[in-house]
Amino acid sequence: MRILIRTSRWAIWARRLGGVAVPLVVISVALHRLRLITSDLFVNAVTAAAVVALLAVVASVVALARIWQSGDHGWGKALLGLFFGLFCLAPFVWYGNLAAKYPPVTDIATTTRGLLPLVFEPGTAAMPPPRVLSKAQASALFPNAETRSYPLGQAQTFALVVQLIDDNGWDVRMVREPNAALDPALINAQIMTIPGWREEIVVRVTGDAASAKVDMRSASLNARHDFGANGLRIEQFLADLDTAVTSWLRDNPNLNLPETEAAEALPAPAPS
């Protein structure tokens, strides 16, 4: 007589739930990035996906325990459900860790925000009110997000800023070039995070032909928590700008010298 070995129902449900959680996450992110759903609907959708993924993990663990004891079939289904569930829960664990590390902030700036206006202005119906840190909090969390001063002219400093923004692949929305009156130069660009949150950066360059100051703002446009992204972005961008300016000055040592000193610094012409 042939003995039939049944497949664990827990394993079947683990595989089904895991198979539902993955497309829920992927489709929700895709629709949010394409702006086909609102941010509130996106949050609801990924929360539902997280619940389904958690159920898949629970069902997988129960299935594996019962299969071990009973000898039923379903190892593959249970393990696949466990993998899908953990795969979908990994981003929530990641962002949960960031939420524990950083307070719910959406707007970081190195100077007065009024000097760094967004293209997408705060206060409109589509943008939540900005959440900001005190100066002491910002200094503690993001100590390198500070105004930069360079012994390099405004125009060339602004050119390096534009190049860095282009290298980062950010979507430039507005540019105010340096001019003869030495008015502040501004550039606004937008960034989209992997889940589809939109963030805007503003860089302001002031100065003259021999020196420049750089300020930066980074703000979330449709989120209520940036998970530290804005402050970290400012720190990284300004660190990269420090490197770019240092390299430029190294390669052009006579750039800001007076004409007489620059002429003396040039190598003597070779005898004919």
Side-chain angles (χ1 to χ4, degrees), residues 42-99:
F42 168 71
V43 171
N44 292 335
V46 294
T47 300
V51 172
V52 175
L54 184 59
L55 291 174
V57 171
V58 172
S60 299
V61 171
V62 173
L64 291 172
R66 291 175 67 90
I67 290 171
W68 179 265
Q69 294 176 350
S70 66
D72 288 347
H73 285 168
W75 284 101
K77 288 181 172 60
L79 291 173
L80 198 57
L82 181 63
F83 171 77
F84 285 158
L86 293 176
F87 174 79
C88 293
L89 289 175
F92 294 92
V93 175
W94 171 259
Y95 282 107
N97 179 61
L98 293 177

Side-chain angles (χ1 to χ4, degrees), residues 43-269:
V43 171
N44 292 335
V46 294
T47 300
V51 172
V52 175
L54 184 59
L55 291 174
V57 171
V58 172
S60 299
V61 171
V62 173
L64 291 172
R66 291 175 67 90
I67 290 171
W68 179 265
Q69 294 176 350
S70 66
D72 288 347
H73 285 168
W75 284 101
K77 288 181 172 60
L79 291 173
L80 198 57
L82 181 63
F83 171 77
F84 285 158
L86 293 176
F87 174 79
C88 293
L89 289 175
F92 294 92
V93 175
W94 171 259
Y95 282 107
N97 179 61
L98 293 177
K101 184 177 181 180
Y102 298 104
V105 178
T106 61
D107 197 337
I108 302 288
T110 62
T111 189
T112 305
R113 287 169 177 77
L115 299 175
L116 300 162
L118 302 176
V119 172
F120 192 106
E121 286 294 343
T124 60
M127 182 175 177
R131 295 180 175 182
V132 300
L133 294 173
S134 67
K135 187 173 182 180
Q137 289 174 318
S139 297
L141 285 170
F142 309 108
N144 295 316
E146 296 181 339
T147 301
R148 295 299 202 267
S149 298
Y150 298 118
L152 185 63
Q154 181 196 30
Q156 185 55 51
T157 301
F158 188 76
L160 293 176
V161 166
V162 173
Q163 183 60 54
L164 280 178
I165 289 175
D166 183 63
D167 291 345
N168 281 309
W170 297 343
D171 181 15
V172 175
R173 294 303 182 91
M174 188 184 74
V175 179
R176 186 195 298 169
E177 299 277 357
N179 55 35
L182 299 178
D183 294 327
L186 288 169
I187 183 167
N188 292 63
Q190 224 176 79
I191 302 106
M192 182 181 292
T193 64
I194 294 175
W197 303 110
R198 292 179 295 119
E199 297 171 344
E200 183 174 337
I201 64 102
V202 192
V203 183
R204 181 177 188 261
V205 183
T206 57
D208 52 32
S211 63
K213 286 188 175 181
V214 178
D215 283 292
M216 185 174 178
R217 178 183 182 185
S218 185
S220 301
L221 301 181
N222 59 336
R224 290 176 172 79
H225 198 318
D226 69 356
F227 302 100
N230 288 306
L232 295 174
R233 180 179 297 114
I234 292 176
E235 287 192 316
Q236 184 61 57
F237 183 87
L238 293 180
D240 291 342
L241 184 60
D242 291 343
T243 301
V245 170
T246 300
S247 298
W248 176 267
L249 293 173
R250 180 196 61 208
D251 297 338
N252 300 271
N254 302 324
L255 182 68
N256 288 335
L257 290 177
E259 291 185 7
T260 54
E261 293 184 24
E264 292 174 0
L266 293 174

